[in-house]
Structure formats: structure tokens, C-alpha cells
Amino acid sequence: YSDWVIDKVEPGASWKPHYDDHPVSTAIATITVFLSEGGGPVVYPSSKTPVKVLPRRGMAIVHHNTNDKHKLDLSSVHALLPHDGDQPVYI
């Protein structure tokens, strides 16, 4: 298990496409919780059909980071698109 990370996302900021991977071990799954209203959507561009999730306060997204052999699943790459609000959001 890992610690919780709270990310303050300023207006116009984003997460570049990335994997939730660590050099020592890869977490089996990630839970992303939107703690405030607004913000940009989370996108999964490498899934069979690209997915865009629009944020809502209190909503959670769960995705697996590993495949059935416990290796990094390359389709788990994801990003947070910039938001055009005037206040930071917390994720």
C-alpha cells in the first residue's frame, strides 16, 4: 500500500501522460478522487476505445496498473487535461 497523495492543480495546469509506476514495484491499481468541483478531464488514450472522464466532486476513478502477470499494463497511461476555471482544484 502507498500513502495518499493530494495534488493541487492550478488553473491551466495538467498532468502529462504517465504511468503510475515505481522503480521498485508497480501498484496494482490507482484510485483518483476529485475533492473539489471543476478541473480538467482525465483521459486514457491507449485503451481500445480512448476514454475521457469528466470530473465531479466526490467522484472516484479506479484503474489497474498491472496485467494478469503483474507487469506494467501499457494501456494504463493517463493524463489530466488543463482546466479553464479560475480556482485550483484538489485531486
Side-chain angles (χ1 to χ4, degrees):
Y1 301 108
S2 64
D3 294 330
W4 288 92
V5 175
I6 298 176
D7 195 0
K8 179 181 180 182
V9 182
E10 297 288 346
S14 62
W15 297 338
K16 294 180 180 180
H18 68 281
Y19 301 98
D20 293 336
D21 189 23
H22 187 275
V24 176
S25 66
T26 300
I28 295 171
T30 295
I31 302 170
T32 302
V33 181
F34 296 94
L35 301 173
S36 53
E37 199 62 44
V42 173
V43 294
Y44 295 88
S46 294
S47 59
K48 291 180 184 175
T49 302
V51 174
K52 183 191 313 186
V53 181
L54 301 175
R56 288 195 337 238
R57 182 179 179 190
M59 183 175 73
I61 302 170
V62 178
H63 72 260
H64 289 267
N65 298 307
T66 59
N67 60 23
D68 56 354
K69 296 184 182 358
H70 304 288
K71 300 293 182 193
L72 179 64
D73 182 349
L74 297 179
S75 69
S76 70
V77 65
H78 57 287
L80 178 72
L81 299 181
H83 77 89
D84 56 3
D86 58 353
Q87 297 293 317
V89 294
Y90 295 88
I91 300 174

